[in-house]
Amino acid sequence: MQKIRTDGFVQKTPTNEDEMIAQWNYLLATKGTLKVFLPSLEKFVKIHSLSTPDISNLSEGILRSQFFKSKVYKQSICREAQWVFRIKSSRSAWELIPVNANVRSLPGVPPNWEIFPGLSNLEEKYYLIDKEQANLLSNETSVDWQKQEIINLLTSLDLNLLFAQPKNVNYFVNFLIQNRQLIGQSEIQTCLINIVREAFITIGIENLQQEQYNEAIKKIVALIHPEKRLKLKQVTYNWQAIQPVLDALYQLDIEQPLLIYELFEPNSPVSTGSLSNEQVKFILTCLSQLLITATTQQVAKKILEQILEQINSLETVLNLVSNLALFFGYNHQQNKTYIYSYLSLQQYKQKYLLFRGDKRDYETPIATAVKAALPECKLIFIEPKISMILEKTSTLRAIPKLEPQTCLQLLATKPDLGNSRQRTNLLKELINHV
């Protein structure tokens, strides 16, 4: 029997009594006794009315035994049937199933079947089993899902129910991780990206960043290929302003890369995606509308800066949207902030009217003197951060600060001057800086 169990027995015509006994034992074990083992197990369970935990413990013992680990014994035991913990929406229980059954594994019993309508449609077509249980399966039985089956399940998801309770999301994450290899295929990646994007819109960033959901979302995002996602840094602002900006971006016709708000960026692998020029054009056009609304203005501005910092062909993209009002600038003459286009900033720079600086720069004595002496000149100040970004272009390179030298360049253009007293004040300021 030791040789039979270890697959060391060789079938041949017996030449003596000992060999005949050995052949008889082999046939008895492999063709007769072992094939009724699982049906006998089923009867034993029913006769003694064993509880589910007791059946699980018994099955675990059989699975771990040398008896079942033997290739020959296992093949004979599962010749006609298999013993599995079958999952059904009505009742999940241990069950004897045919050896040729179509089997698919799940990470346990779904906490809510309504979340996965596609799964309910499959429970009669397939034998759904709990992969965590000690299922006694034939070596030839595959429990793997097929690509189209995964797609059907993902597209049938009810997101509102999925995120109704943390246990629902955790179950979904376990299902994805269990099928990690299939999840990497292009069509399934697209489904997963659509689910995450829709969750960001439907459930909302504020809800998803809560502790019970945040880690689960990170795990889902980690399953999306790094090159198919792009990180957006966290913006320090209220959620009422952040959510509508992100909603507007997610509703754009940009399938990939998926924009991932930093709160949901996994530690590994980090996002490495990039945007095409046409995609950046769509995003900038969207942000330009959000910049003119008071509630979304500051968040849109921060995200605009991030997008511009990440693109390689900045000048090419800005030329595509040259007339879009995208950049905040302080009009010193009118004491008011406006939003300027790339084209208008170029025109101001050509006239020596564009300067880099903030409040500290346009409230200096020299700035005040220039404003008084040149009442017709619209001095435009743009923030240092935007200035650094725009200086990467050939037309806005080296945007200056308002200093004596740049003031002299402006005067060289022969602008209309104010009265003599104002001209004198300007001259004094220039002399003071020599």
Side-chain angles (χ1 to χ4, degrees), residues 24-92:
W24 169 252
N25 287 337
Y26 177 81
L27 292 172
L28 185 63
T30 60
K31 306 297 182 183
T33 307
L34 293 181
K35 72 177 183 179
V36 299
F37 177 80
L38 293 181
S40 300
L41 175 61
E42 181 188 37
K43 289 179 182 178
F44 177 81
V45 165
K46 289 180 179 179
I47 290 172
H48 295 282
S49 301
L50 296 186
S51 65
T52 298
D54 286 340
I55 302 172
S56 298
N57 290 333
L58 179 58
S59 301
E60 180 74 26
I62 295 170
L63 181 68
R64 292 179 177 275
S65 68
Q66 293 298 319
F67 168 68
F68 194 77
K69 288 179 179 179
S70 163
K71 181 180 177 181
V72 175
Y73 284 178
K74 184 178 181 179
Q75 185 178 15
S76 301
I77 291 168
C78 298
R79 180 178 298 278
E80 297 178 357
Q82 303 173 100
W83 181 246
V84 300
F85 187 83
R86 186 178 182 185
I87 296 174
K88 299 182 74 173
S89 57
S90 56
R91 179 176 176 270
S92 299

Side-chain angles (χ1 to χ4, degrees), residues 2-24:
Q2 173 72 14
K3 288 185 177 181
I4 297 175
R5 181 176 64 78
T6 58
D7 200 19
F9 185 81
V10 179
Q11 283 187 277
K12 63 178 181 178
T13 303
T15 58
N16 55 52
E17 184 178 351
D18 289 341
E19 288 182 356
M20 185 175 292
I21 293 172
Q23 291 290 341
W24 169 252

Side-chain angles (χ1 to χ4, degrees), residues 395-423:
T395 55
L396 291 177
R397 188 167 291 124
I399 299 172
K401 297 188 73 172
L402 182 56
E403 297 173 329
Q405 183 59 40
T406 53
C407 185
L408 292 173
Q409 290 174 338
L410 174 58
L411 291 172
T413 64
K414 300 180 180 180
D416 293 333
L417 297 172
N419 59 46
S420 59
R421 183 176 60 82
Q422 294 166 336
R423 294 197 300 270

